[in-house]
Amino acid sequence: MTSQRLTTGALLRYIRGNTTEKANLQVVGIKPIESKTDDPSGSAKRYRLMLSDGKSTFSSCMLGTQMNKLIETNTLKENSIIRIDRVMVNSIDKQNGRVMLMLYEIEVIESDFERIGDPVALPLTDIINSGPNANRLEAATNNPPAASAAAPTTNVIRQGAKALPTLDDRKKPNGDNRAAAKGANVIDKERIINIDTLNPYMNKWTIKARISNKCPIRTYENARGPGKLFNCDLVDKSGEIRATGFNAECDRLYSMLEIGEVYYITKASLKAANRQYNTTNSDYEMTFNHDTIIEACDVGEGENIPQVQYNFISISEIANRAANSVCDVIGVVKSTSDMQTIVSKASQKEFSKRDILLVDEKASISTTLWGQQAEEFDGSSHPVIAFKGIKIGDFNGRTLSVTNSTLTRQDPTETERTVELRVWFDNEGKLMDLPDLSKAGEAGNRPTVMKTLSQVIADGIGLGDKPDYVSVKAVVTLIKKDSAVYMMCPEGKCGKKIVDENNGTYRCEKCNKTYNSFKWAYMISAEISDTTGAQWVTIFRNEAETLLGVSAEEFGNHKLNQAESIVDEIISKAINHELIFKLRAKAEQYNDERKIRFTCVSITEIDWPAHGRRLLNEINQMEPVQN
DNA sequence: CCCCCCCC
């Protein structure tokens, strides 16, 4: 057994918001938490740990549920030494500023160990006087800032206390009287919380939200018999959440909720959101229950509540999403098909449909409208359309299909994307030939796995008889500039290299003709590199233009004019840029040697906002806990 | 507690 040193003082630093260090700590207590909530799944078992840094202990440490098995397999037990790989501070009591540590990732360094030192519990004053850093970190997790709520135990509203209502929200001239008149079972409009702070462990809350979408009542039948339900989306300035009303609640609430109107809502059940059917940015979804009270907001009182919240992904990003999942997409209607009628296999019923080609700056996708929407749709003015909660299909690549929970908005004013796309389409988009995700044959559109360059080799990509497609995140490290362009046959689709006869004529062997002109064409040999290795790849016309930012014509003419410095500048701008390269890998026989040829079929910028969202989703996987 | 949304 090796002796492990604990990271003295780490607990206090964590509590004060300095959560970046990877401290070694000792587990000095493990306690299962009994669920006080009406969690229906019963799967939300959690463990609370008391940790020691050798000098101090802290007992409000929640273990992420994905690590429960460490305890259940006896790997993590009393006196185990762990390394904290990812931790966050979470406010558990806004009144007195108590915080807890959320352990998102830990590693068990020593399973069996003896107690180190004689640590004592951190004093309460240290725990509640969390430093200003806590604010910054809390903001990232959408939780109320611990520090701003920390000091006095009064109800004073502080700037930046996200979970508490703003002064504007609290100005309710007639609210008190109405509440008093109606007795106890009434909505407390003085304590409105933001949708993004709702969680299953809260027992009293009221939100003030707009219904941004409501789908018609649907009936179903399962083992428990028939039932009915409706879904709606609730939005406020902090976020959005999906809500469902079943049976009695469907009868009671469906007709009173109107799209676009604002309501006070209190007492409903919350559970983890089902990501397959839910595009809201909330971690939870709401089920209306017997105790749910909903009251319409007075006229003019809901003006500061947004109409709708979108979480758009670009059309090209749809290639990376699972079939049958839902997403929010915005694009311009580039073309519209005629109406068609199809017969459903399942129900033998007839349905009208119409396909539109939806396009944004990078790609297009076939999008199906159904029923009345298909019949009435007129795309002749090439409108911008936003779809919230549209379903991704995988026929011939990727398609979109409107469902009855999809919110469709034509030329929506709530997003600046509408104007951006309008300007782009009218100026250039309408003439651009962009990859169509609904045409599987086009190599650049095919969904691929992302690998590192060393994995590409290790996994034998391209060794098979058929070409393999793979994506890598890499930088261009070298470009062979002298051979980047060649003189191509001017004849339509020939594409062959021509021979310069040096007398103003050019000979194409393939066409067996002599021409008075030629075209410049790209065929770039470039080395791309990531942290694991490097690879030479071939880059043709479209991808070369994306990479170098100039046409082959322009590049070739600079070369012809011996404008060396301009050529060098073009090349140097393309070097050391991190991009996503989609490659086709195919083994080819050169004499006795079998070599894999890598051809670049698309080059795209890294979608940093989407990349960031993915990281944030990972961070938010753990639910906040109230103890 | 639903999660079907149709076809090539």
Side-chain angles (χ1 to χ4, degrees), chain A residues 374-618:
Chain A
E375 286 157 23
E376 292 171 356
F377 187 78
D378 176 5
S380 57
S381 63
H382 303 286
V384 173
I385 299 202
F387 295 104
K388 183 171 177 58
I390 193 166
K391 187 169 169 177
I392 299 173
D394 60 358
F395 181 73
N396 267 345
R398 283 285 184 275
T399 58
L400 293 174
S401 181
V402 169
T403 78
N404 77 5
S405 45
T406 305
L407 177 67
T408 307
R409 301 274 270 220
Q410 194 154 319
D411 299 315
T413 51
E414 305 90 14
T415 167
E416 66 273 22
R417 285 291 287 145
T418 303
V419 172
E420 253 175 56
L421 282 163
R422 176 85 277 138
V423 169
W424 164 80
F425 186 82
D426 292 346
N427 286 332
E428 48 177 334
K430 63 184 174 201
L431 298 172
M432 285 172 83
D433 189 21
L434 290 159
D436 187 343
L437 300 205
S438 312
K439 286 182 182 158
E442 291 183 20
N445 302 330
R446 196 181 277 263
T448 52
V449 285
M450 189 74 107
K451 289 185 188 284
T452 65
L453 287 169
S454 67
Q455 283 171 335
V456 168
I457 300 303
D459 297 351
I461 298 297
L463 285 175
D465 294 333
K466 280 193 281 179
D468 288 324
Y469 290 84
V470 67
S471 289
V472 296
K473 194 160 67 179
V475 299
V476 175
T477 35
L478 285 168
I479 292 174
K480 286 189 182 168
K481 69 171 178 178
D482 293 335
S483 60
V485 282
Y486 67 94
M487 288 174 167
M488 181 178 73
C489 173
E491 198 56 47
K493 284 175 182 164
C494 173
K496 273 284 170 198
K497 191 173 176 175
I498 47 91
V499 179
D500 187 349
E501 305 279 1
N502 287 321
N503 58 6
T505 65
Y506 308 90
R507 171 93 191 141
C508 176
E509 295 299 337
K510 190 186 175 196
C511 302
N512 196 20
K513 268 187 182 173
T514 302
Y515 299 96
N516 294 324
S517 66
F518 66 91
K519 283 183 183 167
W520 285 111
Y522 275 125
M523 189 174 81
I524 297 177
S525 280
E527 185 197 55
I528 62 171
S529 307
D530 66 11
T531 55
T532 71
Q535 180 62 53
W536 283 93
V537 302
T538 308
I539 305 173
F540 290 103
R541 184 187 167 81
N542 290 341
E543 294 69 39
E545 282 184 5
T546 304
L547 181 66
L548 298 184
V550 298
S551 66
E553 205 62 23
E554 196 178 327
F555 189 94
N557 287 333
H558 288 316
K559 218 185 119 179
L560 198 65
N561 300 334
Q562 298 184 317
E564 223 32 52
S565 62
I566 299 177
V567 169
D568 287 345
E569 198 188 325
I570 291 168
I571 299 276
S572 70
K573 271 189 196 160
I575 301 277
N576 287 335
H577 243 321
E578 191 166 37
L579 296 162
I580 292 171
F581 296 84
K582 192 175 285 188
L583 305 174
R584 180 176 56 230
K586 174 87 176 74
E588 282 174 19
Q589 203 73 21
Y590 292 94
N591 302 322
D592 294 345
E593 216 185 336
R594 207 167 144 81
K595 280 182 91 172
I596 302 169
R597 187 177 167 89
F598 290 88
T599 308
C600 182
V601 294
S602 83
I603 298 180
T604 46
E605 297 277 346
I606 296 165
D607 184 354
W608 289 109
H611 194 68
R613 274 197 303 277
R614 270 196 292 277
L615 291 178
L616 200 62
N617 277 342
E618 280 172 32

Side-chain angles (χ1 to χ4, degrees), chain A residues 161-264:
Chain A
K162 208 177 169 210
L164 295 171
T166 65
L167 286 170
D168 276 353
D169 287 342
R170 290 164 58 91
K171 267 189 225 147
K172 302 290 299 170
N174 302 317
D176 288 347
N177 293 340
R178 283 169 35 147
K182 284 195 179 177
N185 197 19
V186 86
I187 291 179
D188 179 3
K189 295 173 190 169
E190 300 305 300
R191 298 193 46 173
I192 305 297
I193 65 148
N194 286 338
I195 283 175
D196 73 349
T197 64
L198 284 173
N199 67 61
Y201 312 97
M202 246 177 196
N203 40 34
K204 278 193 91 173
W205 51 260
T206 302
I207 57 165
K208 181 179 176 182
R210 191 182 302 275
I211 309 289
S212 61
N213 193 18
K214 181 177 90 161
C215 17
I217 295 173
R218 194 176 73 238
T219 57
Y220 62 91
E221 190 138 347
N222 60 21
R224 268 173 284 190
K228 58 178 167 178
L229 71 108
F230 77 101
N231 291 303
C232 60
D233 290 337
L234 309 173
V235 54
D236 73 7
K237 65 178 186 297
S238 76
E240 46 175 352
I241 190 165
R242 191 174 192 234
T244 308
F246 289 95
N247 304 313
E249 274 53 64
C250 184
D251 291 338
R252 183 165 71 89
L253 301 170
Y254 179 78
S255 58
M256 82 165 285
L257 296 175
E258 286 179 46
I259 293 180
E261 296 301 312
V262 177
Y263 300 86
Y264 296 97

Side-chain angles (χ1 to χ4, degrees), chain A residues 261-374:
Chain A
E261 296 301 312
V262 177
Y263 300 86
Y264 296 97
I265 300 172
T266 188
K267 294 178 184 165
S269 312
L270 289 154
K271 61 173 182 178
N274 183 339
R275 282 284 144 232
Q276 193 183 346
Y277 306 105
N278 189 330
T279 61
T280 68
N281 58 15
S282 175
D283 291 338
Y284 305 104
E285 53 193 46
M286 185 181 292
T287 306
F288 297 135
N289 60 39
H290 182 74
D291 297 325
T292 302
I293 305 172
I294 301 183
E295 196 181 298
C297 181
D298 288 338
V299 177
E301 287 290 327
E303 281 159 1
N304 56 347
I305 308 286
Q307 294 290 328
V308 62
Q309 300 235 12
Y310 296 107
N311 304 295
F312 292 127
I313 61 170
S314 68
I315 290 174
S316 56
E317 169 69 9
I318 296 168
N320 304 323
R321 298 297 175 103
N324 299 318
S325 63
V326 288
C327 64
D328 298 354
V329 177
I330 189 164
V332 186
V333 178
K334 189 169 186 184
S335 60
T336 309
S337 80
D338 292 338
M339 264 269 301
Q340 292 167 261
T341 311
I342 59 105
V343 177
S344 160
K345 277 180 187 160
S347 66
Q348 304 300 318
K349 282 190 194 150
E350 268 197 3
F351 293 92
S352 336
K353 63 160 270 196
R354 191 194 294 271
D355 290 330
I356 58 176
L357 190 68
L358 197 70
V359 64
D360 69 9
E361 293 89 342
K362 293 274 174 57
S364 62
I365 189 165
S366 171
T367 304
T368 307
L369 314 179
W370 297 96
Q372 196 184 350
Q373 189 182 25

